[in-house]
């Protein structure tokens, strides 16, 4: 089985490991992600991905308020091949901006992951409402449907390198409506790095256009090996619904800067 890399940069999945003294989880969890991509000429596409898990206690846990952590950074995130994916129907169906599209299982990856049949993504305008219908399977994930306002476009001021013991101010285009988060990932090579980016300050903020990172988090950023640093900001809108007593379905829309280009 080859690893499957999913563009779920901001998911926090809370799970409990199976040990002898704990019962096996009996939950079902579906997750749908839809990131924005630059389609050139001031237009955008999204390429939704969906996966449905059985025997799990996974759930989507968005950050609350303004929160920062220092953590490991890797340019790729690989889905745990030990997770048990489920059948949620032969196809899923999306609707956005007056158009309908289809998601189908991706062949040859070992996990059941649904992606868009349209190879270059689905045209849309950030801020439009995305609806996804899950037909379900009698022996798999139950029928369900979910909608979300997609994350709106934004820009942000350059992220600087402050002096020692100084906070780092951040500014961006505030969200036009409530319900979103703004995340910043400040990536750098720390003192034990072989040269590549290996650590990050990851922050989630109330999406009101301005925030500050406390100086206590910034030593590694300030002293990055060979000044090797990069940033990525992501506006995130998320929603989770309860389908039944043991089933949850989440949807996450994101818009990032720098905005990724179509490269499928």
């Amino acid at each position: 089985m080859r690893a499957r890399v999913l563009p779920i940069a901001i998911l926090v999945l809370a799970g409990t490991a199976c040990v002898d003294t704990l019962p096996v989880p009996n939950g079902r969890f579906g997750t749908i992600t839809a990131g924005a991509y630059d389609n050139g000429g001031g237009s955008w596409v999204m390429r939704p991905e969906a996966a449905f898990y059985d025997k799990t206690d996974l759930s989507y846990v968005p950050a609350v308020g303004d929160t920062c952590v220092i953590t490991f950074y890797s340019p790729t995130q690989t889905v745990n091949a030990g997770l048990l994916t489920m059948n949620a129907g032969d196809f899923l169906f999306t609707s956005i901006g007056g158009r309908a599209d289809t998601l189908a299982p991706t062949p040859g990856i070992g996990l059941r992951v649904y992606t868009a049949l349209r190879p270059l993504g689905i045209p849309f305008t950030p801020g439009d409402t995305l609806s996804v219908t899950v037909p379900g399977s009698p022996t798999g994930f139950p029928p369900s449907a979910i909608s979300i306002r997609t994350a709106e476009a934004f820009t942000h001021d350059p992220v600087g390198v402050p002096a020692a013991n100084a906070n780092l101010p951040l500014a961006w285009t505030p969200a036009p409506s409530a319900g979103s988060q703004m995340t910043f990932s400040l990536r750098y090579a720390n003192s034990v790095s072989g040269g590549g980016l290996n650590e990050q300050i990851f922050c989630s903020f109330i999406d009101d256009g301005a925030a500050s990172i406390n100086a206590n988090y910034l030593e590694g950023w300030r002293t990055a090996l060979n000044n090797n640093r990069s940033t990525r900001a992501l506006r995130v809108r998320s929603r989770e619904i309860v389908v039944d007593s043991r089933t949850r379905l989440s949807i996450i829309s994101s818009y990032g800067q720098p905005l990724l280009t179509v490269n499928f």
Side-chain angles (χ1 to χ4, degrees):
M1 180 190 304
R2 71 180 179 87
R4 170 66 173 168
V5 179
L6 297 179
I8 307 178
I10 41 72
L11 271 180
V12 179
L13 296 177
T16 302
C18 294
V19 295
D20 292 342
T21 57
L22 295 177
V24 176
N26 194 38
R28 298 180 295 206
F29 177 67
T31 179
I32 303 162
T33 63
Y37 291 80
D38 184 357
N39 198 34
S43 63
W44 301 268
V45 295
M46 68 167 67
R47 188 173 168 87
E49 295 196 351
F52 303 85
Y53 303 100
D54 198 9
K55 307 298 182 186
T56 183
D57 54 5
L58 294 175
S59 63
Y60 177 68
V61 184
V64 177
D66 293 348
T67 306
C68 289
V69 296
I70 298 175
T71 186
F72 173 77
Y73 171 73
S74 171
T76 60
Q77 296 183 352
T78 303
V79 171
N80 182 352
L83 293 173
L84 178 63
T85 51
M86 305 179 70
N87 184 358
D90 293 336
F91 303 97
L92 310 185
F93 305 99
T94 67
S95 174
I96 188 168
R99 64 171 290 142
D101 289 273
T102 302
L103 311 184
T106 304
I109 66 171
L111 301 174
R112 192 174 182 87
V113 177
Y114 294 81
T115 56
L117 287 177
R118 191 176 190 276
L120 294 182
I122 298 170
F124 83 114
T125 299
D128 286 349
T129 295
L130 169 66
S131 298
V132 181
T133 301
V134 180
S137 167
T139 58
F141 201 83
S144 46
I146 194 168
S147 297
I148 194 171
R149 177 184 174 118
T150 54
E152 300 89 349
F154 71 96
T155 60
H156 66 82
D157 290 353
V159 178
V161 180
N165 302 316
N167 296 341
L168 175 59
L170 301 170
W172 64 91
T173 311
S177 63
S180 59
Q181 302 164 267
M182 179 60 67
T183 71
F184 278 83
S185 172
L186 277 59
R187 305 156 180 180
Y188 53 90
N190 67 17
S191 59
V192 298
S193 167
L197 303 173
N198 68 328
E199 194 168 79
Q200 65 176 321
I201 307 164
F202 184 84
C203 298
S204 178
F205 299 115
I206 297 170
D207 195 358
D208 58 7
S212 179
I213 301 177
N214 189 280
N216 294 334
Y217 293 96
L218 295 168
E219 181 64 18
W221 175 255
R222 288 195 315 101
T223 61
L225 186 66
N226 298 324
N227 292 318
N228 190 3
R229 306 179 186 90
S230 72
T231 64
R232 180 150 172 81
L234 204 70
R235 170 166 285 151
V236 181
R237 290 191 176 272
S238 63
R239 184 183 176 210
E240 184 172 283
I241 63 171
V242 176
V243 179
D244 59 35
S245 60
R246 69 183 190 94
T247 309
R248 293 177 178 271
L249 176 63
S250 73
I251 187 167
I252 303 101
S253 169
S254 62
Y255 186 102
Q257 288 289 3
L259 185 59
L260 301 178
T261 57
V262 176
N263 185 24
F264 303 121

